[in-house]
PDB file of all heavy atoms in Angstrom:
ATOM      1  N   LEU J 249    -221.629 -55.150  22.975  1.00  0.00           N
ATOM      2  CA  LEU J 249    -222.201 -55.496  21.631  1.00  0.00           C
ATOM      3  C   LEU J 249    -223.544 -55.109  21.578  1.00  0.00           C
ATOM      4  O   LEU J 249    -224.128 -54.473  20.652  1.00  0.00           O
ATOM      5  CB  LEU J 249    -221.841 -56.909  21.328  1.00  0.00           C
ATOM      6  CG  LEU J 249    -222.279 -57.287  19.872  1.00  0.00           C
ATOM      7  CD1 LEU J 249    -221.352 -56.627  18.846  1.00  0.00           C
ATOM      8  CD2 LEU J 249    -222.313 -58.826  19.667  1.00  0.00           C
ATOM      9  N   LEU J 250    -224.323 -55.628  22.562  1.00  0.00           N
ATOM     10  CA  LEU J 250    -225.769 -55.530  22.650  1.00  0.00           C
ATOM     11  C   LEU J 250    -226.084 -53.968  22.773  1.00  0.00           C
ATOM     12  O   LEU J 250    -227.023 -53.465  22.053  1.00  0.00           O
ATOM     13  CB  LEU J 250    -226.304 -56.288  23.835  1.00  0.00           C
ATOM     14  CG  LEU J 250    -227.876 -56.468  23.725  1.00  0.00           C
ATOM     15  CD1 LEU J 250    -228.212 -57.325  22.548  1.00  0.00           C
ATOM     16  CD2 LEU J 250    -228.367 -56.948  24.988  1.00  0.00           C
ATOM     17  N   VAL J 251    -225.400 -53.363  23.630  1.00  0.00           N
ATOM     18  CA  VAL J 251    -225.536 -51.918  23.761  1.00  0.00           C
ATOM     19  C   VAL J 251    -225.415 -51.231  22.374  1.00  0.00           C
ATOM     20  O   VAL J 251    -226.084 -50.235  22.152  1.00  0.00           O
ATOM     21  CB  VAL J 251    -224.648 -51.314  24.852  1.00  0.00           C
ATOM     22  CG1 VAL J 251    -224.577 -49.847  24.790  1.00  0.00           C
ATOM     23  CG2 VAL J 251    -225.032 -51.839  26.166  1.00  0.00           C
ATOM     24  N   PHE J 252    -224.415 -51.702  21.709  1.00  0.00           N
ATOM     25  CA  PHE J 252    -224.228 -51.076  20.384  1.00  0.00           C
ATOM     26  C   PHE J 252    -225.326 -51.456  19.366  1.00  0.00           C
ATOM     27  O   PHE J 252    -225.802 -50.524  18.662  1.00  0.00           O
ATOM     28  CB  PHE J 252    -222.812 -51.660  19.935  1.00  0.00           C
ATOM     29  CG  PHE J 252    -222.543 -51.253  18.458  1.00  0.00           C
ATOM     30  CD1 PHE J 252    -222.189 -49.820  18.216  1.00  0.00           C
ATOM     31  CD2 PHE J 252    -222.493 -52.044  17.500  1.00  0.00           C
ATOM     32  CE1 PHE J 252    -221.855 -49.407  16.944  1.00  0.00           C
ATOM     33  CE2 PHE J 252    -222.163 -51.686  16.129  1.00  0.00           C
ATOM     34  CZ  PHE J 252    -221.805 -50.305  15.871  1.00  0.00           C
ATOM     35  N   ILE J 253    -225.819 -52.652  19.505  1.00  0.00           N
ATOM     36  CA  ILE J 253    -226.778 -53.118  18.346  1.00  0.00           C
ATOM     37  C   ILE J 253    -228.123 -52.549  18.584  1.00  0.00           C
ATOM     38  O   ILE J 253    -228.876 -52.039  17.717  1.00  0.00           O
ATOM     39  CB  ILE J 253    -226.849 -54.634  18.294  1.00  0.00           C
ATOM     40  CG1 ILE J 253    -225.658 -55.130  17.640  1.00  0.00           C
ATOM     41  CG2 ILE J 253    -228.099 -55.129  17.559  1.00  0.00           C
ATOM     42  CD1 ILE J 253    -225.541 -56.724  17.656  1.00  0.00           C
ATOM     43  N   LEU J 254    -228.521 -52.653  19.985  1.00  0.00           N
ATOM     44  CA  LEU J 254    -229.964 -52.264  20.169  1.00  0.00           C
ATOM     45  C   LEU J 254    -230.311 -50.800  19.800  1.00  0.00           C
ATOM     46  O   LEU J 254    -231.450 -50.641  19.085  1.00  0.00           O
ATOM     47  CB  LEU J 254    -230.299 -52.442  21.654  1.00  0.00           C
ATOM     48  CG  LEU J 254    -230.651 -54.007  22.038  1.00  0.00           C
ATOM     49  CD1 LEU J 254    -230.950 -54.114  23.475  1.00  0.00           C
ATOM     50  CD2 LEU J 254    -231.755 -54.474  21.201  1.00  0.00           C
ATOM     51  N   PRO J 255    -229.504 -49.846  20.074  1.00  0.00           N
ATOM     52  CA  PRO J 255    -230.016 -48.493  19.633  1.00  0.00           C
ATOM     53  C   PRO J 255    -230.016 -48.281  18.065  1.00  0.00           C
ATOM     54  O   PRO J 255    -230.960 -47.685  17.563  1.00  0.00           O
ATOM     55  CB  PRO J 255    -228.856 -47.601  20.137  1.00  0.00           C
ATOM     56  CG  PRO J 255    -228.118 -48.329  21.142  1.00  0.00           C
ATOM     57  CD  PRO J 255    -228.315 -49.789  20.920  1.00  0.00           C
ATOM     58  N   LEU J 256    -229.211 -49.125  17.482  1.00  0.00           N
ATOM     59  CA  LEU J 256    -229.189 -49.131  15.980  1.00  0.00           C
ATOM     60  C   LEU J 256    -230.549 -49.587  15.560  1.00  0.00           C
ATOM     61  O   LEU J 256    -231.172 -49.107  14.628  1.00  0.00           O
ATOM     62  CB  LEU J 256    -228.099 -50.056  15.460  1.00  0.00           C
ATOM     63  CG  LEU J 256    -226.793 -49.517  15.116  1.00  0.00           C
ATOM     64  CD1 LEU J 256    -225.827 -50.611  14.665  1.00  0.00           C
ATOM     65  CD2 LEU J 256    -226.919 -48.373  14.079  1.00  0.00           C
ATOM     66  N   ILE J 257    -231.039 -50.790  16.152  1.00  0.00           N
ATOM     67  CA  ILE J 257    -232.312 -51.325  15.657  1.00  0.00           C
ATOM     68  C   ILE J 257    -233.412 -50.273  15.947  1.00  0.00           C
ATOM     69  O   ILE J 257    -234.244 -50.023  15.100  1.00  0.00           O
ATOM     70  CB  ILE J 257    -232.596 -52.593  16.526  1.00  0.00           C
ATOM     71  CG1 ILE J 257    -231.652 -53.760  16.159  1.00  0.00           C
ATOM     72  CG2 ILE J 257    -234.067 -53.082  16.274  1.00  0.00           C
ATOM     73  CD1 ILE J 257    -231.688 -54.896  17.048  1.00  0.00           C
ATOM     74  N   GLU J 258    -233.284 -49.549  17.060  1.00  0.00           N
ATOM     75  CA  GLU J 258    -234.392 -48.619  17.358  1.00  0.00           C
ATOM     76  C   GLU J 258    -234.278 -47.378  16.513  1.00  0.00           C
ATOM     77  O   GLU J 258    -235.305 -46.965  15.799  1.00  0.00           O
ATOM     78  CB  GLU J 258    -234.255 -48.132  18.789  1.00  0.00           C
ATOM     79  CG  GLU J 258    -234.920 -49.118  19.729  1.00  0.00           C
ATOM     80  CD  GLU J 258    -234.765 -48.716  21.193  1.00  0.00           C
ATOM     81  OE1 GLU J 258    -234.789 -47.452  21.459  1.00  0.00           O
ATOM     82  OE2 GLU J 258    -234.836 -49.604  21.976  1.00  0.00           O
ATOM     83  N   THR J 259    -233.094 -46.867  16.291  1.00  0.00           N
ATOM     84  CA  THR J 259    -233.091 -45.610  15.564  1.00  0.00           C
ATOM     85  C   THR J 259    -233.129 -45.834  13.975  1.00  0.00           C
ATOM     86  O   THR J 259    -233.657 -44.967  13.272  1.00  0.00           O
ATOM     87  CB  THR J 259    -231.664 -44.901  15.753  1.00  0.00           C
ATOM     88  OG1 THR J 259    -230.729 -45.669  15.441  1.00  0.00           O
ATOM     89  CG2 THR J 259    -231.611 -44.393  17.284  1.00  0.00           C
ATOM     90  N   SER J 260    -232.661 -47.002  13.577  1.00  0.00           N
ATOM     91  CA  SER J 260    -232.671 -47.224  12.108  1.00  0.00           C
ATOM     92  C   SER J 260    -234.211 -47.205  11.604  1.00  0.00           C
ATOM     93  O   SER J 260    -234.313 -47.070  10.359  1.00  0.00           O
ATOM     94  CB  SER J 260    -232.037 -48.511  11.733  1.00  0.00           C
ATOM     95  OG  SER J 260    -232.623 -49.546  12.339  1.00  0.00           O
TER      96      SER J 260
END
Side-chain angles (χ1 to χ4, degrees):
Chain J
L249 182 70
L250 194 68
V251 165
F252 175 68
I253 288 177
L254 280 181
L256 269 177
I257 293 169
E258 275 177 30
T259 59
S260 61

